[in-house]
Amino acid sequence: YEFKWKPNPLVRWPQSIKVFDWAHVHAEITRQAGNSGTTYAVRYALFLGHCKPGTLEVLDRIQLGGNTLDESDMRRLWDYCRLYMLQGPDALPAQTPRLDDVSFRRCFFFFMPFLDPAAEGRAYRQQMHIVEWIASIFLMMPVCWLLLPLGLMRYVALKLAPKATWPVELDVESRGALTAAR
């Protein structure tokens, strides 16, 4: 599922669904570097390249993940995808599903989850290391006045965003229903 970015956020962005043959998909981990004033920033991204059969000539590509400081994050994402595609969902490590609902409280505390008074915030605080506590108090609290309104804007954006819909046949296939018939 890919969209083409437009500078105007109020117009509908063109979107397309790409289906690649897994036998011809290769990973490309890119290093994206830039100089922003006095700091040098390096980010990594993972692209899936759909290649001509028997070659590494890329016909099309799509970004699967990115904007991370650690290349190993992208390698783990690729390993996860390969494990899923080769052995199915039962081979994947147990994961806590991401909550899909748009919650005002969750959005409000999104950038500062340690302030969340609910059970999710308590669970987050229990897993914090002393270094995270110190960083949260001395680095995050001074910018609290900026981060909490950003959480409000996140809530509004998620409420206004259209829900992604898939063609029925792709949705069924992505859930593994057709693999049993093959």
Side-chain angles (χ1 to χ4, degrees):
Y1 186 75
E2 183 179 62
F3 64 88
K4 299 290 182 201
W5 185 86
K6 296 283 186 183
N8 182 355
L10 301 177
V11 300
R12 185 173 287 287
W13 294 2
Q15 56 196 359
S16 62
I17 295 175
K18 296 182 177 184
V19 179
F20 295 162
D21 181 355
W22 180 251
H24 307 297
V25 171
H26 295 276
E28 301 172 318
I29 297 177
T30 63
R31 179 178 174 169
Q32 302 158 343
N35 187 353
S36 58
T38 59
T39 61
Y40 181 73
V42 175
R43 297 276 190 258
Y44 294 93
L46 173 65
F47 288 84
L48 296 183
H50 188 236
C51 299
K52 262 188 190 174
T55 71
L56 292 178
E57 182 183 338
V58 177
L59 300 171
D60 198 2
R61 65 176 44 94
I62 188 168
Q63 185 172 351
L64 186 62
N67 199 25
T68 180
L69 295 170
D70 191 359
E71 180 183 358
S72 63
D73 289 342
M74 295 297 97
R75 291 191 184 282
R76 282 191 297 272
L77 178 56
W78 176 239
D79 289 342
Y80 188 88
C81 290
R82 286 182 32 227
L83 182 63
Y84 174 81
M85 293 302 289
L86 296 174
Q87 298 180 25
D90 295 334
L92 299 175
Q95 301 239 342
T96 305
R98 184 179 67 152
L99 298 171
D100 197 24
D101 64 323
V102 179
S103 160
F104 177 79
R105 179 194 46 78
R106 199 175 301 120
C107 288
F108 188 69
F109 293 110
F110 181 79
F111 298 102
M112 299 178 67
F114 61 92
L115 291 179
D116 188 347
E120 291 174 41
R122 284 190 295 278
Y124 185 87
R125 287 188 294 275
Q126 288 174 350
Q127 294 181 359
M128 287 176 68
H129 189 272
I130 186 69
V131 174
E132 292 174 295
W133 276 105
I134 292 169
S136 296
I137 291 169
F138 291 107
L139 298 176
M140 300 296 278
M141 292 306 283
V143 293
C144 177
W145 62 273
L146 179 63
L147 296 176
L148 293 177
L150 283 175
L152 290 175
M153 288 188 270
R154 176 180 172 81
Y155 176 76
V156 170
L158 289 176
K159 277 297 199 184
L160 294 176
K163 190 113 174 121
T165 56
W166 300 92
V168 174
E169 62 278 359
L170 281 179
D171 189 44
V172 170
E173 186 175 1
S174 72
R175 295 174 192 276
L178 294 182
T179 56
R182 289 182 187 168

